[in-house]
mmCIF file with all atom_site columns, all heavy atoms in Angstrom:
data_model
loop_
_atom_site.group_PDB
_atom_site.id
_atom_site.type_symbol
_atom_site.label_atom_id
_atom_site.label_alt_id
_atom_site.label_comp_id
_atom_site.label_asym_id
_atom_site.label_entity_id
_atom_site.label_seq_id
_atom_site.pdbx_PDB_ins_code
_atom_site.Cartn_x
_atom_site.Cartn_y
_atom_site.Cartn_z
_atom_site.occupancy
_atom_site.B_iso_or_equiv
_atom_site.pdbx_formal_charge
_atom_site.auth_seq_id
_atom_site.auth_comp_id
_atom_site.auth_asym_id
_atom_site.auth_atom_id
_atom_site.pdbx_PDB_model_num
ATOM 1   N N   . ASN A 1 1  ? 3.986  -2.164  18.412 1.00 91.00 ? 16 ASN A N   1
ATOM 2   C CA  . ASN A 1 1  ? 3.199  -2.902  17.424 1.00 91.00 ? 16 ASN A CA  1
ATOM 3   C C   . ASN A 1 1  ? 3.987  -3.970  16.673 1.00 91.00 ? 16 ASN A C   1
ATOM 4   O O   . ASN A 1 1  ? 3.406  -4.925  16.166 1.00 91.00 ? 16 ASN A O   1
ATOM 5   C CB  . ASN A 1 1  ? 2.574  -1.935  16.412 1.00 91.00 ? 16 ASN A CB  1
ATOM 6   C CG  . ASN A 1 1  ? 1.515  -1.067  17.041 1.00 91.00 ? 16 ASN A CG  1
ATOM 7   O OD1 . ASN A 1 1  ? 0.877  -1.454  18.014 1.00 91.00 ? 16 ASN A OD1 1
ATOM 8   N ND2 . ASN A 1 1  ? 1.324  0.122   16.503 1.00 91.00 ? 16 ASN A ND2 1
ATOM 9   N N   . HIS A 1 2  ? 5.306  -3.819  16.592 1.00 87.00 ? 17 HIS A N   1
ATOM 10  C CA  . HIS A 1 2  ? 6.081  -4.725  15.743 1.00 87.00 ? 17 HIS A CA  1
ATOM 11  C C   . HIS A 1 2  ? 7.234  -5.434  16.464 1.00 87.00 ? 17 HIS A C   1
ATOM 12  O O   . HIS A 1 2  ? 8.032  -6.092  15.822 1.00 87.00 ? 17 HIS A O   1
ATOM 13  C CB  . HIS A 1 2  ? 6.611  -3.963  14.524 1.00 87.00 ? 17 HIS A CB  1
ATOM 14  C CG  . HIS A 1 2  ? 5.517  -3.371  13.705 1.00 87.00 ? 17 HIS A CG  1
ATOM 15  N ND1 . HIS A 1 2  ? 4.662  -4.133  12.941 1.00 87.00 ? 17 HIS A ND1 1
ATOM 16  C CD2 . HIS A 1 2  ? 5.104  -2.095  13.559 1.00 87.00 ? 17 HIS A CD2 1
ATOM 17  C CE1 . HIS A 1 2  ? 3.779  -3.339  12.353 1.00 87.00 ? 17 HIS A CE1 1
ATOM 18  N NE2 . HIS A 1 2  ? 4.023  -2.105  12.712 1.00 87.00 ? 17 HIS A NE2 1
ATOM 19  N N   . TYR A 1 3  ? 7.287  -5.324  17.785 1.00 85.00 ? 18 TYR A N   1
ATOM 20  C CA  . TYR A 1 3  ? 8.377  -5.940  18.543 1.00 85.00 ? 18 TYR A CA  1
ATOM 21  C C   . TYR A 1 3  ? 8.405  -7.459  18.356 1.00 85.00 ? 18 TYR A C   1
ATOM 22  O O   . TYR A 1 3  ? 9.466  -8.050  18.247 1.00 85.00 ? 18 TYR A O   1
ATOM 23  C CB  . TYR A 1 3  ? 8.253  -5.599  20.032 1.00 85.00 ? 18 TYR A CB  1
ATOM 24  C CG  . TYR A 1 3  ? 9.484  -5.941  20.821 1.00 85.00 ? 18 TYR A CG  1
ATOM 25  C CD1 . TYR A 1 3  ? 10.562 -5.063  20.847 1.00 85.00 ? 18 TYR A CD1 1
ATOM 26  C CD2 . TYR A 1 3  ? 9.577  -7.125  21.529 1.00 85.00 ? 18 TYR A CD2 1
ATOM 27  C CE1 . TYR A 1 3  ? 11.704 -5.360  21.565 1.00 85.00 ? 18 TYR A CE1 1
ATOM 28  C CE2 . TYR A 1 3  ? 10.720 -7.434  22.243 1.00 85.00 ? 18 TYR A CE2 1
ATOM 29  C CZ  . TYR A 1 3  ? 11.785 -6.545  22.263 1.00 85.00 ? 18 TYR A CZ  1
ATOM 30  O OH  . TYR A 1 3  ? 12.918 -6.842  22.959 1.00 85.00 ? 18 TYR A OH  1
ATOM 31  N N   . GLN A 1 4  ? 7.251  -8.066  18.299 1.00 88.00 ? 19 GLN A N   1
ATOM 32  C CA  . GLN A 1 4  ? 7.153  -9.528  18.177 1.00 88.00 ? 19 GLN A CA  1
ATOM 33  C C   . GLN A 1 4  ? 7.020  -10.000 16.731 1.00 88.00 ? 19 GLN A C   1
ATOM 34  O O   . GLN A 1 4  ? 6.733  -11.168 16.483 1.00 88.00 ? 19 GLN A O   1
ATOM 35  C CB  . GLN A 1 4  ? 5.959  -10.036 18.988 1.00 88.00 ? 19 GLN A CB  1
ATOM 36  C CG  . GLN A 1 4  ? 6.060  -9.762  20.473 1.00 88.00 ? 19 GLN A CG  1
ATOM 37  C CD  . GLN A 1 4  ? 7.204  -10.497 21.126 1.00 88.00 ? 19 GLN A CD  1
ATOM 38  O OE1 . GLN A 1 4  ? 7.578  -11.592 20.708 1.00 88.00 ? 19 GLN A OE1 1
ATOM 39  N NE2 . GLN A 1 4  ? 7.783  -9.907  22.157 1.00 88.00 ? 19 GLN A NE2 1
ATOM 40  N N   . ALA A 1 5  ? 7.242  -9.094  15.774 1.00 87.00 ? 20 ALA A N   1
ATOM 41  C CA  . ALA A 1 5  ? 7.074  -9.462  14.358 1.00 87.00 ? 20 ALA A CA  1
ATOM 42  C C   . ALA A 1 5  ? 8.054  -10.563 13.957 1.00 87.00 ? 20 ALA A C   1
ATOM 43  O O   . ALA A 1 5  ? 9.215  -10.555 14.357 1.00 87.00 ? 20 ALA A O   1
ATOM 44  C CB  . ALA A 1 5  ? 7.294  -8.234  13.472 1.00 87.00 ? 20 ALA A CB  1
ATOM 45  N N   . ASP A 1 6  ? 7.551  -11.502 13.160 1.00 88.00 ? 21 ASP A N   1
ATOM 46  C CA  . ASP A 1 6  ? 8.460  -12.510 12.610 1.00 88.00 ? 21 ASP A CA  1
ATOM 47  C C   . ASP A 1 6  ? 9.102  -11.928 11.352 1.00 88.00 ? 21 ASP A C   1
ATOM 48  O O   . ASP A 1 6  ? 8.814  -10.806 10.951 1.00 88.00 ? 21 ASP A O   1
ATOM 49  C CB  . ASP A 1 6  ? 7.728  -13.828 12.347 1.00 88.00 ? 21 ASP A CB  1
ATOM 50  C CG  . ASP A 1 6  ? 6.589  -13.697 11.344 1.00 88.00 ? 21 ASP A CG  1
ATOM 51  O OD1 . ASP A 1 6  ? 6.613  -12.776 10.497 1.00 88.00 ? 21 ASP A OD1 1
ATOM 52  O OD2 . ASP A 1 6  ? 5.676  -14.532 11.394 1.00 88.00 ? 21 ASP A OD2 1
ATOM 53  N N   . GLU A 1 7  ? 9.981  -12.682 10.727 1.00 85.00 ? 22 GLU A N   1
ATOM 54  C CA  . GLU A 1 7  ? 10.722 -12.167 9.570  1.00 85.00 ? 22 GLU A CA  1
ATOM 55  C C   . GLU A 1 7  ? 9.800  -11.784 8.414  1.00 85.00 ? 22 GLU A C   1
ATOM 56  O O   . GLU A 1 7  ? 10.028 -10.781 7.739  1.00 85.00 ? 22 GLU A O   1
ATOM 57  C CB  . GLU A 1 7  ? 11.773 -13.175 9.119  1.00 85.00 ? 22 GLU A CB  1
ATOM 58  C CG  . GLU A 1 7  ? 12.981 -13.242 10.041 1.00 85.00 ? 22 GLU A CG  1
ATOM 59  C CD  . GLU A 1 7  ? 13.685 -11.903 10.247 1.00 85.00 ? 22 GLU A CD  1
ATOM 60  O OE1 . GLU A 1 7  ? 13.919 -11.166 9.264  1.00 85.00 ? 22 GLU A OE1 1
ATOM 61  O OE2 . GLU A 1 7  ? 13.994 -11.579 11.410 1.00 85.00 ? 22 GLU A OE2 1
ATOM 62  N N   . ALA A 1 8  ? 8.750  -12.553 8.188  1.00 88.00 ? 23 ALA A N   1
ATOM 63  C CA  . ALA A 1 8  ? 7.814  -12.243 7.100  1.00 88.00 ? 23 ALA A CA  1
ATOM 64  C C   . ALA A 1 8  ? 7.095  -10.923 7.375  1.00 88.00 ? 23 ALA A C   1
ATOM 65  O O   . ALA A 1 8  ? 6.956  -10.082 6.482  1.00 88.00 ? 23 ALA A O   1
ATOM 66  C CB  . ALA A 1 8  ? 6.807  -13.375 6.921  1.00 88.00 ? 23 ALA A CB  1
ATOM 67  N N   . GLU A 1 9  ? 6.636  -10.745 8.608  1.00 90.00 ? 24 GLU A N   1
ATOM 68  C CA  . GLU A 1 9  ? 5.983  -9.485  8.977  1.00 90.00 ? 24 GLU A CA  1
ATOM 69  C C   . GLU A 1 9  ? 6.966  -8.319  8.879  1.00 90.00 ? 24 GLU A C   1
ATOM 70  O O   . GLU A 1 9  ? 6.602  -7.234  8.437  1.00 90.00 ? 24 GLU A O   1
ATOM 71  C CB  . GLU A 1 9  ? 5.423  -9.563  10.397 1.00 90.00 ? 24 GLU A CB  1
ATOM 72  C CG  . GLU A 1 9  ? 4.257  -10.509 10.552 1.00 90.00 ? 24 GLU A CG  1
ATOM 73  C CD  . GLU A 1 9  ? 3.891  -10.757 12.001 1.00 90.00 ? 24 GLU A CD  1
ATOM 74  O OE1 . GLU A 1 9  ? 4.799  -10.947 12.839 1.00 90.00 ? 24 GLU A OE1 1
ATOM 75  O OE2 . GLU A 1 9  ? 2.682  -10.746 12.281 1.00 90.00 ? 24 GLU A OE2 1
ATOM 76  N N   . TRP A 1 10 ? 8.208  -8.563  9.319  1.00 87.00 ? 25 TRP A N   1
ATOM 77  C CA  . TRP A 1 10 ? 9.218  -7.515  9.290  1.00 87.00 ? 25 TRP A CA  1
ATOM 78  C C   . TRP A 1 10 ? 9.449  -7.018  7.860  1.00 87.00 ? 25 TRP A C   1
ATOM 79  O O   . TRP A 1 10 ? 9.533  -5.807  7.625  1.00 87.00 ? 25 TRP A O   1
ATOM 80  C CB  . TRP A 1 10 ? 10.531 -8.001  9.899  1.00 87.00 ? 25 TRP A CB  1
ATOM 81  C CG  . TRP A 1 10 ? 11.635 -7.042  9.633  1.00 87.00 ? 25 TRP A CG  1
ATOM 82  C CD1 . TRP A 1 10 ? 12.734 -7.261  8.888  1.00 87.00 ? 25 TRP A CD1 1
ATOM 83  C CD2 . TRP A 1 10 ? 11.716 -5.685  10.061 1.00 87.00 ? 25 TRP A CD2 1
ATOM 84  N NE1 . TRP A 1 10 ? 13.507 -6.127  8.825  1.00 87.00 ? 25 TRP A NE1 1
ATOM 85  C CE2 . TRP A 1 10 ? 12.905 -5.148  9.536  1.00 87.00 ? 25 TRP A CE2 1
ATOM 86  C CE3 . TRP A 1 10 ? 10.900 -4.859  10.822 1.00 87.00 ? 25 TRP A CE3 1
ATOM 87  C CZ2 . TRP A 1 10 ? 13.302 -3.836  9.762  1.00 87.00 ? 25 TRP A CZ2 1
ATOM 88  C CZ3 . TRP A 1 10 ? 11.290 -3.547  11.047 1.00 87.00 ? 25 TRP A CZ3 1
ATOM 89  C CH2 . TRP A 1 10 ? 12.475 -3.052  10.526 1.00 87.00 ? 25 TRP A CH2 1
ATOM 90  N N   . ILE A 1 11 ? 9.504  -7.931  6.910  1.00 87.00 ? 26 ILE A N   1
ATOM 91  C CA  . ILE A 1 11 ? 9.693  -7.545  5.506  1.00 87.00 ? 26 ILE A CA  1
ATOM 92  C C   . ILE A 1 11 ? 8.574  -6.601  5.069  1.00 87.00 ? 26 ILE A C   1
ATOM 93  O O   . ILE A 1 11 ? 8.812  -5.625  4.359  1.00 87.00 ? 26 ILE A O   1
ATOM 94  C CB  . ILE A 1 11 ? 9.789  -8.788  4.607  1.00 87.00 ? 26 ILE A CB  1
ATOM 95  C CG1 . ILE A 1 11 ? 11.107 -9.520  4.890  1.00 87.00 ? 26 ILE A CG1 1
ATOM 96  C CG2 . ILE A 1 11 ? 9.669  -8.423  3.137  1.00 87.00 ? 26 ILE A CG2 1
ATOM 97  C CD1 . ILE A 1 11 ? 11.211 -10.892 4.265  1.00 87.00 ? 26 ILE A CD1 1
ATOM 98  N N   . GLY A 1 12 ? 7.369  -6.854  5.547  1.00 90.00 ? 27 GLY A N   1
ATOM 99  C CA  . GLY A 1 12 ? 6.222  -6.029  5.183  1.00 90.00 ? 27 GLY A CA  1
ATOM 100 C C   . GLY A 1 12 ? 6.222  -4.642  5.785  1.00 90.00 ? 27 GLY A C   1
ATOM 101 O O   . GLY A 1 12 ? 5.596  -3.728  5.245  1.00 90.00 ? 27 GLY A O   1
ATOM 102 N N   . VAL A 1 13 ? 6.905  -4.444  6.905  1.00 90.00 ? 28 VAL A N   1
ATOM 103 C CA  . VAL A 1 13 ? 6.889  -3.130  7.584  1.00 90.00 ? 28 VAL A CA  1
ATOM 104 C C   . VAL A 1 13 ? 8.248  -2.439  7.544  1.00 90.00 ? 28 VAL A C   1
ATOM 105 O O   . VAL A 1 13 ? 8.397  -1.348  8.094  1.00 90.00 ? 28 VAL A O   1
ATOM 106 C CB  . VAL A 1 13 ? 6.408  -3.260  9.044  1.00 90.00 ? 28 VAL A CB  1
ATOM 107 C CG1 . VAL A 1 13 ? 4.977  -3.783  9.109  1.00 90.00 ? 28 VAL A CG1 1
ATOM 108 C CG2 . VAL A 1 13 ? 7.353  -4.114  9.877  1.00 90.00 ? 28 VAL A CG2 1
ATOM 109 N N   . ARG A 1 14 ? 9.215  -3.041  6.894  1.00 88.00 ? 29 ARG A N   1
ATOM 110 C CA  . ARG A 1 14 ? 10.574 -2.481  6.889  1.00 88.00 ? 29 ARG A CA  1
ATOM 111 C C   . ARG A 1 14 ? 10.628 -1.060  6.332  1.00 88.00 ? 29 ARG A C   1
ATOM 112 O O   . ARG A 1 14 ? 11.271 -0.186  6.907  1.00 88.00 ? 29 ARG A O   1
ATOM 113 C CB  . ARG A 1 14 ? 11.515 -3.403  6.126  1.00 88.00 ? 29 ARG A CB  1
ATOM 114 C CG  . ARG A 1 14 ? 12.946 -2.928  6.154  1.00 88.00 ? 29 ARG A CG  1
ATOM 115 C CD  . ARG A 1 14 ? 13.916 -3.918  5.592  1.00 88.00 ? 29 ARG A CD  1
ATOM 116 N NE  . ARG A 1 14 ? 13.412 -4.570  4.390  1.00 88.00 ? 29 ARG A NE  1
ATOM 117 C CZ  . ARG A 1 14 ? 13.768 -5.780  4.017  1.00 88.00 ? 29 ARG A CZ  1
ATOM 118 N NH1 . ARG A 1 14 ? 14.616 -6.473  4.727  1.00 88.00 ? 29 ARG A NH1 1
ATOM 119 N NH2 . ARG A 1 14 ? 13.283 -6.311  2.914  1.00 88.00 ? 29 ARG A NH2 1
ATOM 120 N N   . GLU A 1 15 ? 9.954  -0.805  5.223  1.00 90.00 ? 30 GLU A N   1
ATOM 121 C CA  . GLU A 1 15 ? 9.976  0.547   4.643  1.00 90.00 ? 30 GLU A CA  1
ATOM 122 C C   . GLU A 1 15 ? 9.354  1.567   5.587  1.00 90.00 ? 30 GLU A C   1
ATOM 123 O O   . GLU A 1 15 ? 9.852  2.688   5.719  1.00 90.00 ? 30 GLU A O   1
ATOM 124 C CB  . GLU A 1 15 ? 9.270  0.567   3.288  1.00 90.00 ? 30 GLU A CB  1
ATOM 125 C CG  . GLU A 1 15 ? 10.097 -0.066  2.187  1.00 90.00 ? 30 GLU A CG  1
ATOM 126 C CD  . GLU A 1 15 ? 9.439  0.063   0.822  1.00 90.00 ? 30 GLU A CD  1
ATOM 127 O OE1 . GLU A 1 15 ? 8.690  1.040   0.597  1.00 90.00 ? 30 GLU A OE1 1
ATOM 128 O OE2 . GLU A 1 15 ? 9.680  -0.824  -0.009 1.00 90.00 ? 30 GLU A OE2 1
ATOM 129 N N   . GLU A 1 16 ? 8.270  1.193   6.233  1.00 91.00 ? 31 GLU A N   1
ATOM 130 C CA  . GLU A 1 16 ? 7.640  2.091   7.212  1.00 91.00 ? 31 GLU A CA  1
ATOM 131 C C   . GLU A 1 16 ? 8.594  2.357   8.370  1.00 91.00 ? 31 GLU A C   1
ATOM 132 O O   . GLU A 1 16 ? 8.724  3.491   8.832  1.00 91.00 ? 31 GLU A O   1
ATOM 133 C CB  . GLU A 1 16 ? 6.332  1.487   7.722  1.00 91.00 ? 31 GLU A CB  1
ATOM 134 C CG  . GLU A 1 16 ? 5.610  2.370   8.722  1.00 91.00 ? 31 GLU A CG  1
ATOM 135 C CD  . GLU A 1 16 ? 4.357  1.729   9.293  1.00 91.00 ? 31 GLU A CD  1
ATOM 136 O OE1 . GLU A 1 16 ? 4.028  0.583   8.939  1.00 91.00 ? 31 GLU A OE1 1
ATOM 137 O OE2 . GLU A 1 16 ? 3.701  2.395   10.108 1.00 91.00 ? 31 GLU A OE2 1
ATOM 138 N N   . ALA A 1 17 ? 9.272  1.324   8.838  1.00 90.00 ? 32 ALA A N   1
ATOM 139 C CA  . ALA A 1 17 ? 10.254 1.482   9.927  1.00 90.00 ? 32 ALA A CA  1
ATOM 140 C C   . ALA A 1 17 ? 11.356 2.446   9.522  1.00 90.00 ? 32 ALA A C   1
ATOM 141 O O   . ALA A 1 17 ? 11.747 3.323   10.299 1.00 90.00 ? 32 ALA A O   1
ATOM 142 C CB  . ALA A 1 17 ? 10.850 0.125   10.298 1.00 90.00 ? 32 ALA A CB  1
ATOM 143 N N   . GLN A 1 18 ? 11.854 2.296   8.315  1.00 90.00 ? 33 GLN A N   1
ATOM 144 C CA  . GLN A 1 18 ? 12.922 3.166   7.844  1.00 90.00 ? 33 GLN A CA  1
ATOM 145 C C   . GLN A 1 18 ? 12.448 4.615   7.760  1.00 90.00 ? 33 GLN A C   1
ATOM 146 O O   . GLN A 1 18 ? 13.182 5.534   8.114  1.00 90.00 ? 33 GLN A O   1
ATOM 147 C CB  . GLN A 1 18 ? 13.440 2.677   6.491  1.00 90.00 ? 33 GLN A CB  1
ATOM 148 C CG  . GLN A 1 18 ? 14.203 1.380   6.614  1.00 90.00 ? 33 GLN A CG  1
ATOM 149 C CD  . GLN A 1 18 ? 14.540 0.746   5.270  1.00 90.00 ? 33 GLN A CD  1
ATOM 150 O OE1 . GLN A 1 18 ? 13.935 1.047   4.252  1.00 90.00 ? 33 GLN A OE1 1
ATOM 151 N NE2 . GLN A 1 18 ? 15.519 -0.147  5.285  1.00 90.00 ? 33 GLN A NE2 1
ATOM 152 N N   . ALA A 1 19 ? 11.222 4.841   7.303  1.00 94.00 ? 34 ALA A N   1
ATOM 153 C CA  . ALA A 1 19 ? 10.694 6.203   7.186  1.00 94.00 ? 34 ALA A CA  1
ATOM 154 C C   . ALA A 1 19 ? 10.506 6.848   8.558  1.00 94.00 ? 34 ALA A C   1
ATOM 155 O O   . ALA A 1 19 ? 10.866 8.019   8.761  1.00 94.00 ? 34 ALA A O   1
ATOM 156 C CB  . ALA A 1 19 ? 9.371  6.184   6.422  1.00 94.00 ? 34 ALA A CB  1
ATOM 157 N N   . ILE A 1 20 ? 9.964  6.093   9.503  1.00 94.00 ? 35 ILE A N   1
ATOM 158 C CA  . ILE A 1 20 ? 9.761  6.609   10.859 1.00 94.00 ? 35 ILE A CA  1
ATOM 159 C C   . ILE A 1 20 ? 11.107 6.925   11.503 1.00 94.00 ? 35 ILE A C   1
ATOM 160 O O   . ILE A 1 20 ? 11.292 7.976   12.117 1.00 94.00 ? 35 ILE A O   1
ATOM 161 C CB  . ILE A 1 20 ? 8.950  5.606   11.708 1.00 94.00 ? 35 ILE A CB  1
ATOM 162 C CG1 . ILE A 1 20 ? 7.512  5.549   11.212 1.00 94.00 ? 35 ILE A CG1 1
ATOM 163 C CG2 . ILE A 1 20 ? 8.997  5.967   13.191 1.00 94.00 ? 35 ILE A CG2 1
ATOM 164 C CD1 . ILE A 1 20 ? 6.695  4.430   11.805 1.00 94.00 ? 35 ILE A CD1 1
ATOM 165 N N   . PHE A 1 21 ? 12.053 6.015   11.354 1.00 93.00 ? 36 PHE A N   1
ATOM 166 C CA  . PHE A 1 21 ? 13.382 6.206   11.924 1.00 93.00 ? 36 PHE A CA  1
ATOM 167 C C   . PHE A 1 21 ? 14.058 7.428   11.309 1.00 93.00 ? 36 PHE A C   1
ATOM 168 O O   . PHE A 1 21 ? 14.607 8.270   12.017 1.00 93.00 ? 36 PHE A O   1
ATOM 169 C CB  . PHE A 1 21 ? 14.233 4.953   11.696 1.00 93.00 ? 36 PHE A CB  1
ATOM 170 C CG  . PHE A 1 21 ? 15.621 5.076   12.250 1.00 93.00 ? 36 PHE A CG  1
ATOM 171 C CD1 . PHE A 1 21 ? 15.862 4.798   13.581 1.00 93.00 ? 36 PHE A CD1 1
ATOM 172 C CD2 . PHE A 1 21 ? 16.677 5.470   11.455 1.00 93.00 ? 36 PHE A CD2 1
ATOM 173 C CE1 . PHE A 1 21 ? 17.146 4.917   14.108 1.00 93.00 ? 36 PHE A CE1 1
ATOM 174 C CE2 . PHE A 1 21 ? 17.957 5.592   11.968 1.00 93.00 ? 36 PHE A CE2 1
ATOM 175 C CZ  . PHE A 1 21 ? 18.188 5.316   13.299 1.00 93.00 ? 36 PHE A CZ  1
ATOM 176 N N   . LYS A 1 22 ? 14.015 7.556   10.003 1.00 94.00 ? 37 LYS A N   1
ATOM 177 C CA  . LYS A 1 22 ? 14.674 8.661   9.309  1.00 94.00 ? 37 LYS A CA  1
ATOM 178 C C   . LYS A 1 22 ? 14.106 10.001  9.753  1.00 94.00 ? 37 LYS A C   1
ATOM 179 O O   . LYS A 1 22 ? 14.854 10.940  10.041 1.00 94.00 ? 37 LYS A O   1
ATOM 180 C CB  . LYS A 1 22 ? 14.533 8.494   7.796  1.00 94.00 ? 37 LYS A CB  1
ATOM 181 C CG  . LYS A 1 22 ? 15.198 9.593   7.003  1.00 94.00 ? 37 LYS A CG  1
ATOM 182 C CD  . LYS A 1 22 ? 15.037 9.374   5.517  1.00 94.00 ? 37 LYS A CD  1
ATOM 183 C CE  . LYS A 1 22 ? 15.669 10.526  4.745  1.00 94.00 ? 37 LYS A CE  1
ATOM 184 N NZ  . LYS A 1 22 ? 15.448 10.424  3.314  1.00 94.00 ? 37 LYS A NZ  1
ATOM 185 N N   . ALA A 1 23 ? 12.793 10.126  9.812  1.00 95.00 ? 38 ALA A N   1
ATOM 186 C CA  . ALA A 1 23 ? 12.160 11.383  10.227 1.00 95.00 ? 38 ALA A CA  1
ATOM 187 C C   . ALA A 1 23 ? 12.535 11.742  11.663 1.00 95.00 ? 38 ALA A C   1
ATOM 188 O O   . ALA A 1 23 ? 12.855 12.902  11.960 1.00 95.00 ? 38 ALA A O   1
ATOM 189 C CB  . ALA A 1 23 ? 10.647 11.284  10.075 1.00 95.00 ? 38 ALA A CB  1
ATOM 190 N N   . ALA A 1 24 ? 12.529 10.763  12.555 1.00 94.00 ? 39 ALA A N   1
ATOM 191 C CA  . ALA A 1 24 ? 12.879 11.018  13.957 1.00 94.00 ? 39 ALA A CA  1
ATOM 192 C C   . ALA A 1 24 ? 14.348 11.395  14.085 1.00 94.00 ? 39 ALA A C   1
ATOM 193 O O   . ALA A 1 24 ? 14.709 12.305  14.834 1.00 94.00 ? 39 ALA A O   1
ATOM 194 C CB  . ALA A 1 24 ? 12.562 9.790   14.814 1.00 94.00 ? 39 ALA A CB  1
ATOM 195 N N   . GLN A 1 25 ? 15.194 10.705  13.353 1.00 94.00 ? 40 GLN A N   1
ATOM 196 C CA  . GLN A 1 25 ? 16.627 10.990  13.421 1.00 94.00 ? 40 GLN A CA  1
ATOM 197 C C   . GLN A 1 25 ? 16.933 12.388  12.884 1.00 94.00 ? 40 GLN A C   1
ATOM 198 O O   . GLN A 1 25 ? 17.732 13.116  13.465 1.00 94.00 ? 40 GLN A O   1
ATOM 199 C CB  . GLN A 1 25 ? 17.417 9.935   12.658 1.00 94.00 ? 40 GLN A CB  1
ATOM 200 C CG  . GLN A 1 25 ? 18.918 10.089  12.833 1.00 94.00 ? 40 GLN A CG  1
ATOM 201 C CD  . GLN A 1 25 ? 19.676 8.974   12.153 1.00 94.00 ? 40 GLN A CD  1
ATOM 202 O OE1 . GLN A 1 25 ? 19.396 8.655   11.004 1.00 94.00 ? 40 GLN A OE1 1
ATOM 203 N NE2 . GLN A 1 25 ? 20.623 8.401   12.860 1.00 94.00 ? 40 GLN A NE2 1
ATOM 204 N N   . GLU A 1 26 ? 16.283 12.779  11.801 1.00 93.00 ? 41 GLU A N   1
ATOM 205 C CA  . GLU A 1 26 ? 16.507 14.116  11.248 1.00 93.00 ? 41 GLU A CA  1
ATOM 206 C C   . GLU A 1 26 ? 16.091 15.193  12.237 1.00 93.00 ? 41 GLU A C   1
ATOM 207 O O   . GLU A 1 26 ? 16.793 16.192  12.406 1.00 93.00 ? 41 GLU A O   1
ATOM 208 C CB  . GLU A 1 26 ? 15.751 14.280  9.928  1.00 93.00 ? 41 GLU A CB  1
ATOM 209 C CG  . GLU A 1 26 ? 16.395 13.516  8.798  1.00 93.00 ? 41 GLU A CG  1
ATOM 210 C CD  . GLU A 1 26 ? 15.584 13.526  7.511  1.00 93.00 ? 41 GLU A CD  1
ATOM 211 O OE1 . GLU A 1 26 ? 14.441 14.041  7.510  1.00 93.00 ? 41 GLU A OE1 1
ATOM 212 O OE2 . GLU A 1 26 ? 16.098 12.993  6.506  1.00 93.00 ? 41 GLU A OE2 1
ATOM 213 N N   . GLU A 1 27 ? 14.984 15.003  12.918 1.00 91.00 ? 42 GLU A N   1
ATOM 214 C CA  . GLU A 1 27 ? 14.544 15.977  13.929 1.00 91.00 ? 42 GLU A CA  1
ATOM 215 C C   . GLU A 1 27 ? 15.525 16.015  15.088 1.00 91.00 ? 42 GLU A C   1
ATOM 216 O O   . GLU A 1 27 ? 15.892 17.078  15.570 1.00 91.00 ? 42 GLU A O   1
ATOM 217 C CB  . GLU A 1 27 ? 13.138 15.639  14.430 1.00 91.00 ? 42 GLU A CB  1
ATOM 218 C CG  . GLU A 1 27 ? 12.597 16.650  15.423 1.00 91.00 ? 42 GLU A CG  1
ATOM 219 C CD  . GLU A 1 27 ? 12.423 18.036  14.829 1.00 91.00 ? 42 GLU A CD  1
ATOM 220 O OE1 . GLU A 1 27 ? 11.930 18.159  13.696 1.00 91.00 ? 42 GLU A OE1 1
ATOM 221 O OE2 . GLU A 1 27 ? 12.791 19.014  15.509 1.00 91.00 ? 42 GLU A OE2 1
ATOM 222 N N   . TYR A 1 28 ? 15.957 14.847  15.545 1.00 90.00 ? 43 TYR A N   1
ATOM 223 C CA  . TYR A 1 28 ? 16.914 14.773  16.651 1.00 90.00 ? 43 TYR A CA  1
ATOM 224 C C   . TYR A 1 28 ? 18.221 15.468  16.285 1.00 90.00 ? 43 TYR A C   1
ATOM 225 O O   . TYR A 1 28 ? 18.807 16.170  17.099 1.00 90.00 ? 43 TYR A O   1
ATOM 226 C CB  . TYR A 1 28 ? 17.176 13.308  17.029 1.00 90.00 ? 43 TYR A CB  1
ATOM 227 C CG  . TYR A 1 28 ? 18.356 13.156  17.950 1.00 90.00 ? 43 TYR A CG  1
ATOM 228 C CD1 . TYR A 1 28 ? 18.247 13.498  19.293 1.00 90.00 ? 43 TYR A CD1 1
ATOM 229 C CD2 . TYR A 1 28 ? 19.588 12.703  17.479 1.00 90.00 ? 43 TYR A CD2 1
ATOM 230 C CE1 . TYR A 1 28 ? 19.337 13.387  20.140 1.00 90.00 ? 43 TYR A CE1 1
ATOM 231 C CE2 . TYR A 1 28 ? 20.677 12.593  18.318 1.00 90.00 ? 43 TYR A CE2 1
ATOM 232 C CZ  . TYR A 1 28 ? 20.549 12.931  19.648 1.00 90.00 ? 43 TYR A CZ  1
ATOM 233 O OH  . TYR A 1 28 ? 21.630 12.835  20.476 1.00 90.00 ? 43 TYR A OH  1
#
């Protein structure tokens, strides 16, 4: 969903990305 995001879009989803990454990393 966000591979082609530009910098403005990325700023808007950065917190969500960090939360998804953190949860997956903790499980791993």
